[in-house]
Amino acid sequence: MKIIKFPILFSEVQERLQQINPVKYTNTRNYVDGSVSYLSPYISRGIISTKDVFQQVLNLGYSVKQSEKFIQELTWRDYWQQIWIAKENEINFDLKNKQLKVSNTAISKSILEANTGIKAIDTAITNFYNNGYLHNHLRMYIASLACNVAQSHWSFPAKWMYYHLLDADWASNALSWQWVAGTNSNKKYIANQDNINKYCHTKQSNTFLDISYDDFDTLKIPKELLETDSCLLKTPMPEKESIKIDKKKSTYIYNFYNLDPLWDQEILPIEYFYLNPHILINIQYHLIV
Ligand SMILES: Cc1cc2nc3c(=O)[nH]c(=O)nc-3n(C[C@H](O)[C@H](O)[C@H](O)COP(=O)(O)OP(=O)(O)OC[C@H]3O[C@@H](n4cnc5c(N)ncnc54)[C@H](O)[C@@H]3O)c2cc1C
């Protein structure tokens, strides 16, 4: 599996925008090596907007019809944001239905340790710890494994994924986890080994997921997922004393969701970004004078 890197120069982000191919995207997006855009960290951090991306698709000469699938996905991002605005903290709890078959409020240790025995998932989690990114299908597989096979309530595993994602966006994250767990949708999302093999190009068999979809109804928590852990998800914050404000000068506060490099650029030109979740969270409290 190719490890995706996320460039830190704004010019490189602009180059990535040039690479969007909505036609290839439509045909390949569900495969782990499909032509997805890898723009989510920049969109989520407010470096570029979904509107910028949409405009770029048109500038590249693609019609709305050719780009329909890609535009729909951009729309999901904005839709989840609107749900968050409308529902506020309600999105932190089961939204439409109560999650059924909950055995724990932690996460399987083997998921945390990338040791579930499902090769595609273990490789993806290992890479995730290194680069802060997961393909959409793998996010769905992991969420399904955690909630619908290991019977963990979605809330803690969602926080674990959010903590490690460069594109961490609580609306997309919490509401997608709820969609998989069936608390924000009409049914749970499940995937068996065949499905994983198809989209991840693996050939694994005889795993606890190597079953038919009917068998999921009676599936007991596999031994590989039984042990759970509620690992500490701690974000180091700067000491209060280290923040100094010169009241005579203008002060700009950048938050985790809005690192817009073009914001008031005449006063404050920003040339590069460092995309690391921990550093970004620190930037949230970093006052730039
Ligand atoms: C369990 C789970 C957790 C998720 N958590 C997050 C998260 O914290 N932050 C986040 O940005 N996305 C999240 N997603 C949505 C999606 O997986 C990512 O946005 C996408 O994989 C990012 O890769 P990309 O930029 O190559 O996307 P592309 O497929 O190229 O799509 C382009 C853009 O559209 C938006 N988008 C695409 N698919 C979705 C989707 N299903 N929902 C919402 N927006 C979408 C993103 O902004 C993305 O950058 C989650 C999905 C699941 C199933």
Side-chain angles (χ1 to χ4, degrees), residues 46-64:
I47 291 163
I48 52 173
S49 68
T50 47
K51 201 172 163 192
D52 295 334
V53 179
F54 173 63
Q55 191 55 53
Q56 174 66 15
V57 168
L58 300 183
N59 293 349
L60 286 169
Y62 295 104
S63 67
V64 169

Side-chain angles (χ1 to χ4, degrees), residues 1 108 110-111 113-126 134 137-138 140-142 144-146 149-150 191-198 200-211 216 219 222 224-225:
M1 211 181 279
S108 297
S110 61
I111 296 181
E113 293 176 352
N115 191 22
T116 64
I118 309 296
K119 280 184 196 153
I121 291 182
D122 293 344
T123 308
I125 295 172
T126 305
L134 279 167
H137 227 150
L138 280 153
M140 290 162 69
Y141 293 149
I142 294 168
S144 170
L145 202 63
V149 181
N192 67 8
Q193 187 67 54
D194 276 351
N195 183 300
I196 296 173
N197 284 345
K198 176 177 175 188
C200 302
H201 310 298
T202 50
K203 290 188 176 143
Q204 238 189 325
S205 57
N206 297 324
T207 65
F208 57 83
L209 288 182
D210 195 8
I211 55 175
F216 275 93
L219 182 67
E224 291 86 341
L225 302 178

